[in-house]
Amino acid sequence: MSAQQLNIAAPRSGDIDPKYLRQSASSSSNREMFKWLFMRISGPILLVLIFVHLFSNLMVGDGVHGLNFGLVAGKWASPLWQIWDLTMLWLAMIHGTIGVGTIIDDYTSKDRTRVGFKVALYLASVAIIVLGTLVIFTFEPCMTDAAGNLMDNSPSFCFNQ
Amino acid sequence: MTTTFEPTSTTDNAGAVDSFTVTVQVRRYQPEFHEEGYWESWTVEMHGTDRVLDALHKIKWELDGSLTFRRSCAHGICGSDAMRINGVNRLACKVLLKDLDTSKPITVEAIKGLPVEKDMIVDMEPFFQSYREIMPFLIADESKEPTRERLQSAEAREAFDDTTKCILCAACTSSCPVFWTDGQYFGPAAIVNAHRFIFDDRDEGGDMRLEVLNDKEGVWRCRTTFNCTDACPRGIQVTKAIAEVKQAILARNI
């Protein structure tokens, strides 16, 4: 049930210069509402995800100095960190894409410029989300060099096999 | 001048009002003579009890009659003289000169985001069109009890008391950065006036108004910048009212 169908005329609504009429017809979808809701919900979740991620990578154990291929490979061997990083990737990318989209809407005045920037933004986001997801799920932690030897920085569990 | 009715208390200065000079820098737009807007300054002698509007009056009446601005009641009720004073939206009739830094020029511009027609006069029609679209009138089932008074408890009234204060001066809407870049946005004033009826328990059009404001250009455009709350000359908690409308739409749709 949209307001237009009921057509309750506001005073003086009959004699308005057409140039003042609203261009966008009420889309009666909840798209904007869900976008807003997503931003509000993903924001606090991302705060937790990102700061735990930073803490576990930069503070725990050897801290920054222990950060190498082996550490990342070791983390992705665990389903917890796989899901953690996957959630972080998706939420951050979608949150960021909506945010940058809003900025594009703010700063572009021509329709063509806006569409151009938006297309570039969406392509970049989709590419990063797809690539990131692919890497998290198909990651091979025990990499070997051409001679078949394990690489030096491999996580410890590779050497036990 | 031969007669004067003023008290001749030249020695006793009790109650005398300080006077000072103030420079008023006005953003002029005179489309008949200049295609572009330009700044023009006047220095005038004003008193401690004078408001920005009095300075504009003095300029218009004594120095340059072409200066153009709207004002009706001049007492903060009609909402005609909203303008950008020192970069913030205020009613010229509610800002005392002594509260501003008079050592520097006081800048006065038209409110932003609406098409300027001449000096401080803007085309208010886009603003009023948004206002019309939220149906700012009581929608009630007339068939029920058309002849009886519609009683309301004090608590039910309290829910929308704040938003009844709006005088439609457009200070809030034209202070909103979202409205500056997206003139299609309904704007704080329309949402405040929708709030006034949405939360009125005698009104039955709330769903329709929530539907209108769930639009792409509706409440979700709001980024809680609080410019509107700061600009409102009536002290309405505009951002809070917008947030309450957002909550109402969420509660209705989820």
Side-chain angles (χ1 to χ4, degrees):
Chain A
M1 183 174 74
S2 82
Q4 275 72 25
Q5 285 165 340
L6 281 146
N7 195 25
I8 294 179
R12 291 177 58 210
S13 60
D15 47 47
I16 298 160
D17 189 325
K19 76 176 174 180
Y20 294 120
L21 295 178
R22 191 167 298 281
Q23 286 146 25
S24 68
S26 187
S27 52
S28 79
S29 77
N30 292 324
R31 198 162 148 254
E32 294 295 317
M33 183 187 77
F34 285 120
K35 255 167 78 176
W36 183 87
L37 203 59
F38 177 84
M39 295 302 266
R40 290 296 158 119
I41 293 170
S42 62
I45 297 177
L46 275 169
L47 272 179
V48 175
L49 289 173
I50 289 170
F51 279 101
V52 171
H53 166 82
L54 288 175
F55 181 76
S56 75
N57 277 15
L58 305 179
M59 313 285 278
V60 175
D62 291 340
V64 183
H65 306 291
L67 189 59
N68 56 18
F69 176 81
L71 184 95
V72 178
K75 275 179 82 177
W76 280 348
S78 133
L80 170 75
W81 286 112
Q82 271 191 331
I83 291 168
W84 191 284
D85 283 5
L86 188 76
T87 318
M88 199 160 67
L89 171 78
W90 278 71
L91 289 185
M93 285 311 296
I94 299 172
H95 188 98
T97 305
I98 296 176
V100 175
T102 307
I103 294 170
I104 292 173
D105 281 340
D106 277 356
Y107 285 92
T108 54
S109 45
K110 290 190 200 123
D111 276 352
R112 277 181 61 191
T113 328
R114 179 165 55 247
V115 171
F117 275 115
K118 283 272 183 84
V119 167
L121 171 71
Y122 293 146
L123 285 179
S125 313
V126 169
I128 292 170
I129 290 174
V130 168
L131 274 176
T133 310
L134 205 67
V135 166
I136 290 173
F137 282 121
T138 62
F139 188 69
E140 174 52 66
C142 303
M143 291 231 293
T144 52
D145 57 19
N149 301 315
L150 272 173
M151 285 175 64
D152 289 344
N153 280 334
S154 294
S156 54
F157 59 81
C158 295
F159 295 100
N160 303 330
Q161 287 171 355
Chain B
M1 198 186 281
T2 51
T3 55
T4 176
F5 297 102
E6 285 172 28
T8 52
S9 57
T10 46
T11 49
D12 180 28
N13 267 342
V17 178
D18 287 347
S19 70
F20 48 84
T21 58
V22 58
T23 303
V24 183
Q25 195 175 32
V26 180
R27 182 76 185 169
R28 305 290 308 269
Y29 176 60
Q30 301 275 323
E32 301 96 328
F33 306 110
H34 304 275
E35 278 186 22
E36 294 290 316
Y38 58 97
W39 290 97
E40 190 166 358
S41 300
W42 293 274
T43 303
V44 282
E45 177 89 14
M46 301 304 296
H47 294 99
T49 48
D50 285 334
R51 306 151 299 167
V52 173
L53 181 67
D54 296 310
L56 293 174
H57 275 155
K58 191 163 179 133
I59 295 165
K60 183 173 176 68
W61 294 340
E62 296 173 16
L63 299 171
D64 185 346
S66 71
L67 181 68
T68 313
F69 53 89
R70 286 193 180 108
R71 80 104 171 84
S72 302
C73 77
H75 289 83
I77 291 299
C78 70
S80 294
D81 63 348
M83 39 189 95
R84 215 166 136 81
I85 297 164
N86 278 353
V88 287
N89 283 2
R90 295 286 182 267
L91 294 184
C93 58
K94 284 191 81 171
V95 180
L96 284 171
L97 287 167
K98 71 178 177 66
D99 293 340
L100 301 171
D101 181 3
T102 48
S103 65
K104 284 187 281 185
I106 293 164
T107 62
V108 178
E109 300 159 75
I111 47 177
K112 277 179 82 173
L114 293 161
V116 182
E117 297 191 329
K118 187 177 184 181
D119 289 351
M120 259 72 76
I121 308 259
V122 296
D123 183 0
M124 296 282 281
E125 211 51 33
F127 171 81
F128 286 123
Q129 180 55 24
S130 293
Y131 176 59
R132 279 183 211 107
E133 278 182 48
I134 54 95
M135 296 171 283
F137 39 81
L138 187 81
I139 299 173
D141 190 352
E142 292 291 327
S143 64
K144 276 185 188 166
E145 290 175 50
T147 55
R148 265 188 53 190
E149 207 177 347
R150 294 168 202 275
L151 296 174
Q152 184 170 48
S153 69
E155 294 74 37
R157 159 78 193 196
E158 189 59 35
F160 64 92
D161 189 62
D162 199 33
T163 45
T164 60
K165 299 180 203 157
C166 178
I167 54 174
L168 292 171
C169 64
C172 58
T173 295
S174 61
S175 75
C176 175
V178 180
F179 183 75
W180 295 340
T181 55
D182 176 9
Q184 291 285 305
Y185 172 45
F186 274 87
I191 299 170
V192 158
N193 285 283
H195 178 285
R196 184 251 170 273
F197 289 100
I198 289 165
F199 291 92
D200 186 339
D201 65 352
R202 298 165 298 185
D203 185 89
E204 284 158 45
D207 272 351
M208 287 191 292
R209 296 196 185 87
L210 293 176
E211 182 84 20
V212 169
L213 291 177
N214 195 17
D215 183 272
K216 181 169 169 288
E217 306 292 351
V219 286
W220 308 116
R221 282 278 119 121
C222 167
R223 268 170 242 159
T224 56
T225 320
F226 281 90
N227 275 17
C228 48
T229 306
D230 178 60
C232 181
R234 307 283 294 163
I236 300 171
Q237 297 299 306
V238 183
T239 316
K240 184 173 169 237
I242 298 175
E244 284 172 4
V245 174
K246 283 175 183 167
Q247 297 298 327
I249 296 178
L250 281 175
R252 175 174 169 267
N253 290 355
I254 291 182

